[in-house]
Structures are given as structure tokens and as C-alpha cells.
Amino acid sequence: MKKQLRAATTTAEVKKLLAPLHFEFGWDQADSCKAESAPAAVTLDVFRARIMSSETVDVVLQMRWGC
């Protein structure tokens, strides 16, 4: 998914890729992001961390984006 997001160039492509993750975006608040053909750039980082308990490894997704 990280490679697909790096290759995506429009907000429509990015939204389609991230839809299964149910992320909430503030994209529609910025005028430059409203158009489906607006240029977009997304970087997704995946980390493993012990957040909920010291016995369980959790997965943390960090997304940085711009349009």
C-alpha cells in the first residue's frame, strides 16, 4: 500500500486507496483539495509499538499528506 500511495497523484486515487482504512480527512476543508483531480501526495509510515500493554505489539499508522 505504501508504494501505491506514493504512486498516486490525485486526491481521487488517494481517497480510493485509503477508503478501506476508514481514515477521517480534513481534505474537504482546503479549497485546493476539493477537486477529485487535485494533485495529492501521501506518505504512509507503519510502526510496531507496545501501546495497550507490554505483552501485545500494536500497529501504528502515521499518514502525512498534502494537496
Side-chain angles (χ1 to χ4, degrees):
M1 179 178 264
K2 289 171 71 169
K3 288 181 182 179
Q4 291 174 318
L5 283 170
R6 274 196 298 263
T9 58
T10 65
T11 56
E13 292 173 317
V14 171
K15 287 178 183 179
K16 183 178 178 182
L17 288 168
L18 295 175
L21 298 177
H22 303 286
F23 281 140
E24 294 290 328
F25 296 109
W27 292 50
D28 296 331
Q29 295 175 3
D31 289 337
S32 61
C33 298
K34 287 183 181 178
E36 292 293 311
S37 61
V42 174
T43 302
L44 183 67
D45 299 314
V46 181
F47 302 98
R48 298 200 182 277
R50 296 184 187 275
I51 298 172
M52 299 302 286
S53 79
S54 61
E55 299 162 358
T56 305
V57 177
D58 301 298
V59 176
V60 179
L61 300 177
Q62 173 182 302
M63 185 177 67
R64 293 174 279 146
W65 60 274
C67 54

